[in-house]
Amino acid sequence: MTTPSGGSTPDDYWRRPGTGADAVPDHPPATPPSGPTNPPPSGHTIPSPSGHTSPPPSGHADPAPSGYAGPPPSVPPPSGWRPPVHLQPAPPRRLPPQDMADLDAAEQRSQRVTYGFGAAVGVVLVVLVCLLCSRVIF
């Protein structure tokens, strides 16, 4: 097993850099991040969708020194855009009507079967307990 160089722990790579008194010391990550390693110059420009560049908005600070300037701008699809429809699904079928009286009768029958099995198991358990107790007593 290898240990990271530079005195950092394996978890330092995944931790957010702190700014307060409990901040993690500024150690390099165990593995270099994939992407640009040079931060952008302080007078960077923001490209617009038309390709022209403009200076950063006033009153805003430069991005973090990591060089991440945020997600690229997205262009919404044209209005009314929809994927092509090739097949129309069949309309849903109607369910058969339910006979509520028959459903209630079936539920009562199944409840009687469940109670019957429960009573039979209870009788067997009582008999077994009586047999075990009689062996201990006699």
Side-chain angles (χ1 to χ4, degrees):
M1 182 173 154
T2 61
T3 58
S5 61
S8 62
T9 63
D11 291 15
D12 285 346
Y13 182 75
W14 302 107
R15 287 197 181 118
R16 181 176 293 192
T19 57
D22 61 340
V24 177
D26 189 19
H27 293 296
T31 59
S34 61
T37 57
N38 297 334
S42 61
H44 72 281
T45 58
I46 300 172
S48 67
S50 64
H52 295 83
T53 57
S54 62
S58 61
H60 291 91
D62 284 340
S66 66
Y68 179 67
S74 63
V75 178
S79 62
W81 178 87
R82 294 280 180 239
V85 178
H86 297 288
L87 297 173
Q88 292 291 337
R93 297 175 290 169
R94 286 193 54 83
L95 292 174
Q98 296 180 354
D99 184 8
M100 298 308 276
D102 190 33
L103 286 173
D104 288 340
E107 186 177 351
Q108 288 173 355
R109 284 192 305 270
S110 64
Q111 189 175 19
R112 278 193 296 263
V113 169
T114 302
Y115 287 160
F117 276 114
V121 168
V123 168
V124 169
L125 287 176
V126 167
V127 169
L128 284 175
V129 167
C130 289
L131 285 174
L132 288 174
C133 288
S134 67
R135 295 286 263 172
V136 171
I137 294 174
F138 299 113

